[in-house]
């Protein structure tokens, strides 16, 4: 690899630790090696006796307008099954706090209307919980996101 394209020492480790580098393989033997590692992207961890529920927001506006997006989430346990796993109810409320006069903001911030109308926000929201055999009481983990309310039970 030419020196000009060489990554700084530890760059891949840092990216993996931050959840920015993940791997998946369609080859079962390879995937078995990836499972359980930082690279797997598996939701891991506990807060007290409760596993984490991850709610991830991906900005699709092609701009920086998601700065004005606010996300609120509620996770509740609906029931405990015979195997000890739980049925959870997740409600995610997304609201826009885009200020008046957005039309005067720079296109770098608003996207200039390329992917969404100026002042609009478009996001994908993904909710993840650990496999049922590992779950106990729910605990919420959210990243810092027009009004939309969505509920999911499962």
């Amino acid at each position: 690899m030419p020196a000009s394209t060489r990554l700084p020492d530890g760059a891949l480790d840092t990216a993996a630790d931050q959840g920015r580098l993940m791997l998946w393989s369609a080859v079962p033997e390879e995937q078995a090696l990836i499972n359980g590692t930082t690279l797997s992207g598996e939701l891991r961890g506990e807060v007290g006796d409760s596993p984490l529920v991850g709610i991830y927001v991906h900005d699709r506006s092609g701009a920086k307008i998601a700065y004005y997006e606010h996300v609120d989430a509620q996770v509740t346990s609906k029931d405990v099954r015979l195997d000890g796993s739980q049925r959870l109810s997740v409600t995610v409320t997304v609201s826009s706090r885009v200020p008046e006069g957005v039309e005067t903001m720079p296109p770098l911030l608003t996207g200039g209307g390329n992917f969404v109308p100026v002042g609009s926000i478009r996001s994908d929201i993904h909710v993840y919980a650990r496999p049922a055999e590992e779950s106990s009481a729910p605990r919420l983990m959210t990243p810092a996101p027009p009004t939309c309310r969505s509920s999911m039970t499962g």
Side-chain angles (χ1 to χ4, degrees), residues 36-112:
T37 70
T38 304
L39 295 173
S40 71
E42 296 167 351
L43 187 61
R44 296 184 305 273
E46 300 275 337
V47 177
D49 294 331
S50 301
L52 300 174
V53 174
I55 299 173
Y56 301 91
V57 181
H58 180 229
D59 176 32
R60 305 292 286 186
S61 67
K64 306 294 182 199
I65 197 75
Y67 172 81
Y68 297 106
E69 192 170 30
H70 176 75
V71 174
D72 182 56
Q74 301 295 318
V75 179
T76 56
S77 176
K78 299 308 262 182
D79 60 55
V80 179
R81 298 176 179 133
L82 293 176
D83 66 0
S85 65
Q86 294 187 57
R87 187 171 62 97
L88 303 176
S89 174
V90 179
T91 301
V92 179
T93 303
V94 182
S95 57
S96 172
R97 295 182 177 167
V98 175
E100 295 291 324
V102 67
E103 307 79 22
T104 64
M105 293 179 174
L108 177 66
L109 179 65
T110 66

Side-chain angles (χ1 to χ4, degrees), residues 113-127:
N114 291 322
F115 296 102
V116 298
V118 170
S120 294
I121 300 172
R122 179 179 298 152
S123 296
D124 290 337
I125 298 177
H126 302 273
V127 178

